[in-house]
Amino acid sequence: MIKIALDAMGGDFGVPVTVPAAVEAVRVNGGLELILVGDETQVQTELKRLGAANEARLSVRHTTQTVGMDEAPAQALRMKKDSSMRVCVNMVKSGEANACVSAGNTGALMATAKYVLKTLPGIDRPAICARIPAVKGHTYMLDLGANLDCSAEQLLQFAVMGSVLVAATEHKPQPKVGVLNVGQEDIKGNDQVKGAAKLLDGSGLNYIGFVEGNDVFLSDVDVVVCDGFAGNVALKTMEGASKTIAHFLREEFSRNWMTRISAAFAMPVLKALRQRIDPRKYNGASFLGLTGIVIKSHGSSDAVALRNAIEVARLEVEEDIPRRIDSQLEASLSARRTA
């Protein structure tokens, strides 16, 4: 039985989203147990409303504090030791839970996870990794905001972590790894990406070279590595572009009676497209490089999106991602020494 601690108070909506997501998650997965961490009264009230108060694989851990979405990470770390977020991470540390999931404050969750769980040997900093829809399936990208400035060695570490995640969860023995750059030519880029390329050449990973921003969607690459500044800007640009295209489509289809008729005929295609690129399907970013498994759900997630984040956590537990990263990092270091 896989046990996951769920921050029931996290996110923009809290209990009205987290509890239904938990109920559905255990309903569809018989090997899953969820510990709902938060205000017991609120959680139990929602469980009763959903008719799940007696579900044996759902338990509640009462906490007295909540981390606000705009709260400073340092303050949350010092002052909120009985918050639902902190207790979730503590449960992973103690072994009471195999992983934790939170839709709460990203900075606070990263600071708490790093402080409580610590990084794996050989990992300088954890990185945020997420799956992004692409023409040939999807691409994994990291770091997406945890580390704004990175050394070449840290980019190598990110590459190892991303490669391990894809190999385990996508069943690809040799994932293709690229470094995000302003061009594919070797002469382009700053010292960090050029240095990372040299390290990756002797790492034993399936390194394919530099990739550009459009390659995240169009190229045959599995893992795209970058610093958190570029990664976060790229991610927010993707989100903005997606919303802009959706806005333009609504405008054009509602322009006059003819376009409204066209919209009716196009509806099956539009629905299929929406399902294919539905961001809820890709919810659940991994905090890679820690000794335990921590998954960050988008703050505005609904129950469907949060359930997918829980599934990401379940899969990473099943594949024992931290242990795999630890082993692969040692193998990459050995390959570099040999080279």
Side-chain angles (χ1 to χ4, degrees), residues 46-261:
E46 185 68 11
L47 285 171
K48 289 176 182 176
R49 186 186 72 82
L50 297 169
N54 297 319
E55 171 55 61
R57 290 183 290 115
L58 288 174
S59 58
V60 182
R61 175 65 58 86
H62 179 65
T63 59
T64 60
Q65 295 175 306
T66 301
V67 175
M69 293 298 284
D70 58 351
E71 194 164 341
Q75 179 177 328
L77 192 58
R78 289 196 309 267
M79 308 298 293
K80 298 291 184 72
K81 294 183 180 180
D82 193 46
S83 67
S84 53
M85 179 185 291
R86 177 66 173 267
V87 172
C88 279
V89 178
N90 286 344
M91 291 173 75
V92 177
K93 173 70 173 179
S94 67
E96 193 172 349
N98 303 115
C100 73
V101 177
S102 175
N105 181 318
T106 303
L109 182 61
M110 177 58 82
T112 301
K114 188 175 179 181
Y115 176 78
V116 173
L117 297 174
K118 306 297 187 294
T119 55
L120 290 163
I123 297 294
D124 295 336
R125 304 174 185 174
I128 301 175
C129 181
R131 194 173 54 135
I132 296 166
V135 169
K136 296 185 178 181
H138 39 256
T139 304
Y140 286 74
M141 191 170 181
L142 74 166
D143 176 36
L144 294 179
N147 309 283
L148 300 186
D149 189 24
C150 301
S151 67
E153 179 68 32
Q154 287 159 354
L155 292 176
L156 169 65
Q157 294 168 14
F158 297 168
V160 171
M161 295 190 292
S163 182
V164 167
L165 183 65
V166 173
T169 59
E170 302 288 341
H171 307 295
K172 292 184 176 182
Q174 289 290 316
K176 296 177 181 178
V177 179
V179 173
L180 187 66
N181 198 0
V182 294
Q184 295 184 352
E185 298 86 352
D186 291 341
I187 61 171
K188 291 188 175 180
N190 57 28
D191 291 340
Q192 286 84 353
V193 298
K194 289 179 180 177
K198 291 180 181 178
L199 293 176
L200 280 161
D201 277 333
S203 67
L205 299 177
N206 186 13
Y207 175 58
I208 63 171
F210 293 138
V211 296
E212 298 179 83
N214 58 334
D215 293 320
V216 175
F217 307 100
L218 302 176
S219 182
D220 187 19
V221 60
D222 300 304
V223 181
V224 174
V225 176
C226 58
D227 63 47
F229 187 94
N232 193 264
V233 170
L235 182 65
K236 297 297 171 59
T237 302
M238 295 172 203
E239 292 175 351
S242 176
K243 291 177 181 178
T244 301
I245 292 169
H247 175 78
F248 286 166
L249 282 172
R250 284 193 295 269
E251 277 190 341
E252 294 304 322
F253 277 125
S254 61
R255 189 169 296 279
N256 54 53
W257 66 269
M258 291 185 66
T259 59
R260 291 190 184 95
I261 293 174

